[in-house]
């Protein structure tokens, strides 16, 4: 192992309403591959964005190649030799492969772009990486895996000595992963330091030298990969006690309400089948990008599905769009309240009435004001939405109360299945408990409740049954009584083995 | 492992935006021939001359607006800056200022508006529609006030007949090698900004921020600098057209350049410049301006009403954007 090339100490970073990083330490040596591990929201990406100049830290110190660094811009970080491959693809779709690789550092002669030189250079970099791509190709026309390779080529072309890869393999094929691992080994031999963020724990053994584990925005531990085991790593990742109280309500699950059979919708929902019963709460657990949100959206008809059957109360239902699902009694409270769940510039009344206008209007399309008021008042009372009046803008409500309005939209109809996508994200503890009570109430009323959550204690505390997804497939199902965080995480990282070929090297 | 090289023709069409630019050129030829068959005078050398001169203004402002459209923005102040340029230069000349100096002062004023647009959109991150709406009114107001809320006298009254004629000939009435100077000015502007957009770093960054502003930022591209440069280009183009209008009238007209910002959008969009940013070639803008002027010219020659001309332009603009949207949707599906 070489010298320390990156040292970050006492790093704090907060965003409005969240402390993303608290007193975090991080070290990287030359010639090593450091795996940065943690659950969703542990702060891995935030920490690396600080190192690469995308975010600035609130406090703490950062040394790169022994030199103390102030706040960096992406360009300064690049100049220092720090390159990052972002998790979400960051390409200009309209530009060519070569143009993207050299974006921001175009070579010029007398003010004129040296296109030929840049293309040759791009060709050389791609050939080095054994990527079969024409530098002329427009990036937007490439498949996602190839775009990812372009992103990697772009980072490498900066001659970076610190290379950060945030989930680089998530969209690669097994051959491309082999290529990537080969490239990583070569870079390591040249003395580069590589930070490797991945949820695919089974990949680690092929390339990783050390691991750093983070949890809830804090540093947990750092060790040599050889000195630890997968179980130890998983325990360190999840190892928090369940502090919150979860008000569980027991009720006997009744007859089957919803059956989903062999649902396929794009890459993120593959052959998904499960059942929901009356008076039951089912949680869907999984890592980010496991296809949970996509599954709920496909059932709700918000996204197109390729195949599969949805059976409600024993009868197949055809869902071509959201309107079909609502009419059938299947509703969704989406993940991003502000973007998908509410019209934030409208009042509570307008939001609640919106999906129910068919029931509130007379045949000339005029809204029946008294009916509307009655509906909204009932909803506000039932869900205990704290507001002086239904005519207040929803934007003035707290996160928890906004979430209740989202649910209230659906309560006026006799819905059979209520799906929640991350219902407690970004709301405080007290409001969370109210949401749990709300789900329990729906359950007691005999509805089937499905909810997606990234917080394992919450899923284990509220759900009667837990479905675990990974990479678009259901990888397991656990009754709440038998579920442990370790079991869930093991299922949630059960990727299809893409790296078999790499193992043979 | 090297990917196969494409043959030259395919490479030509692989240039982004070339497809839509070529469609616009094809449309141009069809429109021209159709009108020519109905009214042979359309083919006459005199008419071709006039056509080239009348499209020049729309080409120049189209170039300016195309820069903004490619960055995913818009410049509504363009037409008002045209008017401001005409009014400032004409007013100064009626007071005897040397035409060169008058033009220089007008240029500076126009560039200040461009800079303000850049600051508002690139730095303060105002929606470009609103920011440039503000500068649109402001620039028009300045144009009004320059000569005390009235049109100027003939420029010859200040700088003398000889200099006045020289100015008018240079920008409008004169010819060089048998071609109207106006068209030659447009060609020079075209070549300069074609080069800037396709061959320089600034040009590359203009496409990049229009394509994906976050990716550009993370690659170290300055969004502020790039946006500002685009607005300066647009202001410069407006300045040139202001001089042309001033030369054409021989005086400053307060309403000069009215609606030109919209004509400029039409020129660009007909030529395949995407109003959503990221794609388009100035070659397309050239074709777009020509398509429009050929249509107007042709409809005029066959005696169609002005109303009909406007309707046809309206339909063509919408059709061109519809084509862009459909094509984009198509590519996105293929990627999925």
């Amino acid at each position: 192992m070489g010298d320390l090339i990156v040292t970050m100490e006492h790093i704090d970073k907060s965003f409005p309403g969240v402390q993303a990083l608290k007193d975090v330490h991080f070290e990287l040596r030359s010639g090593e591959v450091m795996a940065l591990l943690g659950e969703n929201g542990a702060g891995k990406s935030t920490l690396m964005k600080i190192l690469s100049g995308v975010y600035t830290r609130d406090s703490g110190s950062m040394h790169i190649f022994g030199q103390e660094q102030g706040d960096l811009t992406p360009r300064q970080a690049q100049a220092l030799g720090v390159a990052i491959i972002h998790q979400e693809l960051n390409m200009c779709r309209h530009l060519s492969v070569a143009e993207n690789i050299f974006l921001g550092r175009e070579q010029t002669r007398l003010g004129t772009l040296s296109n030929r030189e840049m293309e040759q250079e791009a060709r050389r970099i791609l050939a080095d990486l054994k990527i079969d791509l024409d530098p002329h190709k427009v990036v937007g026309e490439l498949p996602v895996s190839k775009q990812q390779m372009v992103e990697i080529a772009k980072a490498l072309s900066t001659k970076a000595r610190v290379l950060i890869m945030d989930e680089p393999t998530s969209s690669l094929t097994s051959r491309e992963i082999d290529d990537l691992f080969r490239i990583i080994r070569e870079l390591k031999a040249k003395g580069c330091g590589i930070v490797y963020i991945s949820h695919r724990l089974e990949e680690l053994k092929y390339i990783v030298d050390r691991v750093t584990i983070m949890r809830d925005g804090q540093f947990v531990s750092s060790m040599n990969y050889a000195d630890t085991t997968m179980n130890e790593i998983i325990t360190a990742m999840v190892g928090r006690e369940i502090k919150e109280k979860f008000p569980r309500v027991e009720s006997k699950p009744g007859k089957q309400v919803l059956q989903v059979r062999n649902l396929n919708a794009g890459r993120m929902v593959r052959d998904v089948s499960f059942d929901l019963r009356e008076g039951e709460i089912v949680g869907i657990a999984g890592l980010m990008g496991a296809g949970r949100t996509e599954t709920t959206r496909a059932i709700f008809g918000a996204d197109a599905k390729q195949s599969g059957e949805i059976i409600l109360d024993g009868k197949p239902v055809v869902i071509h769009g959201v309107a079909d699902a609502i009419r059938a009694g299947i509703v969704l409270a989406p993940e991003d309240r502000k973007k998908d769940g509410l019209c934030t510039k409208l009042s509570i009344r307008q939001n609640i009435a919106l999906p129910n206008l068919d029931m509130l209007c007379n045949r000339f399309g005029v809204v029946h004001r008294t009916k509307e008021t009655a509906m909204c008042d009932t909803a506000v009372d039932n869900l205990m939405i704290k507001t002086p009046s239904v005519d207040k803008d929803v934007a003035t409500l707290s996160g928890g109360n906004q979430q209740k309005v989202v649910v209230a939209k659906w309560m006026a109809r006799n819905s059979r299945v209520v799906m929640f996508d991350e219902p407690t994200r970004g709301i405080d503890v007290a409001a969370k408990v109210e949401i749990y009570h709300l789900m329990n109430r729906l359950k007691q009323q005999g509805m089937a409740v499905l909810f997606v959550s990234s917080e394992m204690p919450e899923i284990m505390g509220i759900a009667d049954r837990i479905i675990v997804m990974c990479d678009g497939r259901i990888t397991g199902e656990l009754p709440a009584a038998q579920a442990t965080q370790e079991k869930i995480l093991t299922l949630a990282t059960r990727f299809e083995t893409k790296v078999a070929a790499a193992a043979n090297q | 492992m090297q990917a196969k090289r494409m043959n030259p023709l395919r490479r030509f069409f692989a240039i982004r935006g070339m497809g839509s630019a070529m469609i616009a050129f094809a449309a141009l030829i069809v429109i021209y021939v159709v009108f020519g068959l109905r009214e042979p005078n359309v083919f006459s050398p005199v008419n071709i001359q006039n056509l080239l001169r009348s499209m020049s203004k729309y080409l120049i402002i189209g170039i300016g607006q195309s820069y903004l459209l490619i960055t995913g923005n818009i410049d509504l102040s363009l037409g008002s800056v045209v008017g401001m340029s005409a009014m400032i230069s004409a007013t100064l000349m009626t007071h005897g200022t040397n035409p060169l100096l008058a033009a220089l002062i007008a240029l500076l004023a126009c560039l200040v508006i461009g800079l303000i647009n850049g600051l508002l959109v690139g730095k303060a991150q105002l929606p470009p529609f609103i920011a440039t709406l503000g500068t649109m009114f402001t620039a028009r107001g300045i144009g009004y006030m320059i000569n005390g809320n009235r049109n100027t006298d003939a420029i010859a009254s200040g700088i003398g007949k000889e200099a006045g004629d020289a100015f008018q000939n240079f920008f409008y009435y004169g010819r060089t090698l048998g071609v109207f100077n106006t068209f030659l000015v447009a060609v020079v502007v075209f070549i300069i900004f074609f080069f800037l957009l396709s061959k320089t770093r600034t040009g590359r960054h203009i496409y990049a921020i229009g394509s994906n502003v976050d990716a550009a930022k993370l690659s170290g591209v300055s969004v502020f600098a790039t946006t500002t440069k685009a607005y300066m280009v647009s202001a410069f183009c407006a300045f040139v057209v202001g001089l042309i209008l001033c030369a054409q009238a021989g005086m400053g007209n307060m309403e000069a350049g009215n609606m030109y910002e919209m004509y400029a959008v039409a020129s660009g969009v007909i030529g395949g410049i995407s109003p959503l940013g990221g794609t388009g070639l100035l070659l397309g803008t050239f074709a777009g301006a020509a398509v429009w002027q050929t249509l107007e010219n042709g409809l005029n020659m066959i005696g169609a009403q002005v109303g009909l001309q406007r309707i046809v332009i309206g339909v063509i603009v919408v059709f061109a954007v519809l084509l862009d949207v459909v094509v984009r949707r198509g590519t996105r599906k293929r990627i999925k």
Side-chain angles (χ1 to χ4, degrees):
Chain A
M1 283 306 117
D3 314 324
L4 274 176
I5 50 177
V6 173
T7 327
M8 299 172 86
E9 279 174 320
H10 308 294
I11 302 287
D12 284 338
K13 172 76 186 174
S14 53
F15 295 109
V18 229
Q19 175 109 29
L21 296 176
K22 220 161 98 194
D23 198 23
V24 175
H25 296 252
F26 182 78
E27 281 179 357
L28 180 69
R29 292 170 185 279
S30 64
E32 77 171 356
V33 178
M34 167 70 88
L36 184 55
L37 304 174
E39 280 189 284
N40 298 338
K44 301 162 293 190
S45 295
T46 308
L47 184 67
M48 288 303 112
K49 281 182 176 168
I50 289 174
L51 179 56
S52 59
V54 179
Y55 293 156
T56 53
R57 58 190 186 267
D58 296 342
S59 62
S61 71
M62 182 159 83
H63 289 79
I64 300 176
F65 299 114
Q67 223 136 35
E68 167 104 53
Q69 302 293 340
D71 289 343
L72 295 175
T73 64
R75 189 190 281 260
Q76 286 166 336
Q78 221 176 57
L80 285 169
V82 179
I84 183 164
I85 299 163
H86 289 281
Q87 187 174 3
E88 61 281 7
L89 288 173
N90 259 303
M91 303 259 100
C92 292
R93 303 181 52 245
H94 304 92
L95 300 189
S96 74
V97 171
E99 287 167 348
N100 265 294
I101 289 178
F102 285 97
L103 185 60
R105 340 169 258 116
E106 294 84 359
Q107 299 169 4
T108 54
R109 197 183 308 121
L110 300 171
T112 314
L113 291 169
S114 314
N115 281 326
R116 189 157 309 160
E117 283 78 359
M118 287 193 279
E119 267 158 36
Q120 271 166 11
E121 177 77 7
R123 212 177 279 281
R124 199 188 53 68
I125 294 164
L126 292 169
D128 264 7
L129 302 179
K130 296 202 171 66
I131 304 170
D132 184 17
L133 262 183
D134 186 340
H136 276 298
K137 270 255 184 246
V138 176
V139 162
E141 289 169 8
L142 299 173
V144 177
S145 71
K146 287 278 194 261
Q147 291 188 21
Q148 179 82 60
M149 291 310 264
V150 176
E151 184 109 45
I152 292 167
K154 178 178 173 181
L156 293 179
S157 72
T158 63
K159 307 206 167 54
R161 286 185 295 159
V162 175
L163 190 61
I164 303 159
M165 300 187 177
D166 197 349
E167 295 278 355
T169 57
S170 55
S171 55
L172 298 188
T173 63
S174 66
R175 248 204 61 206
E176 289 161 338
I177 293 179
D178 283 356
D179 284 338
L180 178 67
F181 286 178
R182 180 180 49 75
I183 294 161
I184 290 177
R185 287 187 201 106
E186 285 169 15
L187 290 171
K188 204 167 104 167
K190 283 186 201 156
C192 292
I194 294 159
V195 183
Y196 190 85
I197 301 180
S198 179
H199 283 311
R200 296 164 181 264
L201 300 180
E202 89 280 5
E203 287 173 1
L204 303 183
K205 60 175 177 279
Y206 302 117
I207 45 166
V208 162
D209 301 304
R210 285 203 301 155
V211 292
T212 293
I213 295 167
M214 291 180 67
R215 187 201 314 146
D216 298 334
Q218 285 173 303
F219 171 86
V220 177
S221 62
S222 196
M223 54 214 153
N224 284 328
Y225 181 72
D227 302 342
T228 181
T229 65
M230 199 57 76
N231 280 340
E232 263 178 46
I233 291 175
I234 290 183
T235 311
M237 278 166 69
V238 296
R240 89 192 112 176
E241 301 141 61
I242 299 177
K243 294 182 223 113
E244 294 112 310
K245 273 266 174 270
F246 296 100
R248 182 185 283 286
V249 174
E250 297 302 335
S251 78
K252 263 233 150 34
K255 62 178 175 39
Q256 270 184 355
V257 177
L258 182 77
Q259 292 166 275
V260 176
R261 290 285 169 266
N262 308 102
L263 183 68
N264 281 287
R267 216 189 69 80
M268 299 315 292
V269 183
R270 294 186 288 158
D271 206 27
V272 166
S273 300
F274 64 88
D275 299 334
L276 293 182
R277 290 165 173 283
E278 252 176 12
E280 180 185 51
I281 298 178
V282 173
I284 305 186
L287 299 166
M288 213 133 41
R292 299 167 300 167
T293 296
E294 290 82 354
T295 302
T296 59
R297 285 179 61 90
I299 295 171
F300 189 47
D303 292 334
K305 35 188 172 290
Q306 275 93 49
S307 63
E309 212 181 354
I310 291 169
I311 301 163
L312 189 67
D313 289 324
K315 287 187 287 284
V317 284
V318 182
I319 296 175
H320 286 308
V322 171
D324 295 330
I326 295 173
R327 216 169 302 125
I330 302 173
V331 298
L332 170 70
E335 176 175 9
D336 191 336
R337 277 191 300 280
K338 292 199 176 73
K339 187 168 146 280
D340 299 326
L342 293 172
C343 303
T344 45
K345 288 179 180 149
L346 300 185
S347 66
I348 299 168
R349 173 201 292 277
Q350 284 163 314
N351 270 286
I352 293 178
L354 186 61
N356 305 311
L357 288 174
D358 53 337
M359 296 152 63
L360 296 175
C361 292
N362 65 17
R363 64 200 152 98
F364 301 114
V366 179
V367 179
H368 198 295
R369 184 81 180 177
T370 10
K371 268 196 211 167
E372 190 187 55
T373 309
M375 174 189 277
C376 295
D377 286 345
T378 316
V380 167
D381 286 351
N382 269 342
L383 302 179
M384 293 181 287
I385 299 172
K386 286 191 202 82
T387 175
S389 146
V390 293
D391 290 309
K392 284 270 174 210
D393 286 357
V394 286
T396 63
L397 300 179
S398 67
N401 279 302
Q402 286 184 2
Q403 186 67 53
K404 288 189 204 165
V405 176
V406 177
V407 178
K409 285 167 63 174
W410 305 122
M411 300 314 294
R413 319 185 76 97
N414 293 322
S415 300
R416 302 285 291 133
V417 179
V418 183
M419 299 186 284
F420 293 89
D421 194 358
E422 302 283 1
T424 61
R425 174 163 293 172
I427 63 180
D428 62 51
V429 180
K432 278 183 185 181
V433 173
E434 287 192 50
I435 298 290
Y436 301 143
H437 282 310
L438 179 63
M439 287 199 268
N440 282 333
R441 198 155 345 122
L442 299 178
K443 165 176 157 178
Q444 283 169 316
Q445 286 169 16
M447 286 181 213
V449 178
L450 182 69
F451 86 108
V452 170
S453 174
S454 293
E455 289 186 38
M456 277 198 245
E458 170 178 295
I459 281 220
M460 291 165 56
I462 289 298
D464 300 306
R465 202 146 53 84
I466 298 163
I467 293 171
V468 188
M469 288 187 72
C470 173
D471 214 13
R473 296 163 308 123
I474 291 182
T475 46
E477 195 180 310
L478 299 163
Q482 290 168 25
T484 62
Q485 299 199 45
E486 285 78 5
K487 274 188 195 165
I488 293 174
L489 199 59
T490 309
L491 287 171
T493 53
R494 191 176 280 170
F495 289 92
E496 286 168 304
T497 0
K498 292 212 272 190
V499 285
N504 298 331
Q505 289 197 350
Chain B
M1 267 322 309
Q2 274 212 350
K4 247 193 261 159
R5 289 186 81 95
M6 289 181 276
N7 70 46
L9 192 69
R10 280 197 55 192
R11 262 186 83 157
F12 177 74
F13 276 99
I15 298 174
R16 292 173 306 285
M18 193 54 88
S20 6
M22 288 302 124
I23 290 173
F25 272 113
L28 173 64
I29 292 166
V30 171
I31 292 167
Y32 188 63
V33 170
V34 168
F35 280 118
L37 293 177
R38 271 221 47 198
E39 174 55 63
N41 274 340
V42 168
F43 291 138
S44 73
V46 173
N47 189 53
I48 293 177
Q49 287 275 2
N50 286 334
L51 193 54
L52 288 181
R53 182 165 65 179
S54 66
M55 73 167 270
S56 299
K57 290 176 268 184
Y58 300 104
L59 171 57
I60 299 172
I61 51 166
I63 291 167
Q65 193 66 281
S66 296
Y67 265 71
L68 274 313
L69 293 177
I70 293 170
T71 60
N73 295 310
I74 195 167
D75 185 358
L76 294 183
S77 69
L78 189 58
S80 299
V81 176
V82 169
M84 201 176 87
S85 158
M87 282 304 287
I88 292 178
S89 53
T91 305
L92 287 169
M93 283 190 275
T94 56
H95 287 87
T97 312
N98 174 303
L100 216 59
L101 182 62
L104 193 69
I105 293 168
L107 172 63
L108 286 178
C110 293
L111 291 181
V112 167
I113 300 284
L115 179 66
I116 292 172
N117 282 335
L119 283 167
L120 293 177
V121 176
K123 198 97 191 167
Q125 315 231 311
L126 290 189
F129 195 90
I130 301 306
T132 61
L133 186 70
T135 47
M136 170 182 114
F137 286 122
T138 311
R140 181 63 68 188
I142 294 171
Y144 276 19
M145 287 169 67
I146 288 292
N147 197 42
N149 296 306
R150 57 182 201 86
N151 296 338
T152 71
D153 300 330
I155 53 171
S157 71
I159 54 175
K161 181 159 171 22
E162 202 177 317
D165 283 351
F167 180 78
Q168 288 190 272
N169 284 333
F170 183 83
F171 280 105
Y172 201 77
Y173 295 101
R175 299 181 197 212
T176 306
L177 302 170
V179 183
F180 276 120
N181 289 341
T182 316
F183 184 65
L184 296 177
V185 168
V187 168
V188 170
V189 171
F190 179 82
I191 290 172
I192 294 172
F193 291 122
F194 178 86
F195 177 82
L196 181 68
L197 188 59
S198 59
K199 302 287 179 203
T200 69
R201 180 177 300 195
T202 299
R204 181 66 52 78
H205 290 177
I206 282 174
Y207 280 106
I209 65 172
S211 175
N212 183 343
V213 74
D214 293 325
K217 244 186 251 169
L218 292 178
S219 304
V221 173
S222 164
V223 176
F224 167 56
T226 310
T227 312
T228 304
K229 284 179 197 166
Y231 276 111
M232 300 285 253
V233 168
S234 164
F236 180 83
C237 291
F239 154 73
V240 173
V241 174
L243 294 188
I244 291 172
L245 292 181
C246 174
Q248 181 178 0
M251 57 175 273
N253 185 331
M254 290 199 304
E255 298 300 335
N258 212 353
M259 285 290 280
Y260 271 34
E261 61 281 348
M262 293 303 162
Y263 300 158
V265 173
S267 294
V269 165
I270 293 172
I273 307 277
S274 166
L276 304 172
T279 54
L281 294 175
L282 289 191
L283 216 51
T285 309
F286 192 103
V291 163
W292 180 6
Q293 282 307 299
T294 308
L295 262 174
E296 228 178 61
N297 176 272
L299 289 165
N300 253 326
M301 305 260 305
I302 63 169
Q305 304 167 25
V306 180
L308 183 64
Q309 297 177 19
R310 288 293 145 95
I311 292 174
V312 171
I313 294 295
V315 170
I316 292 207
V317 167
V318 171
F319 187 76
V321 181
L322 199 63
L323 197 71
D324 175 61
V325 171
V326 170
V327 168
R328 281 198 188 220
R329 213 173 279 155
T331 12
R332 206 162 304 145
K333 247 178 215 152
R334 234 183 305 145
I335 291 162
K336 270 187 181 167

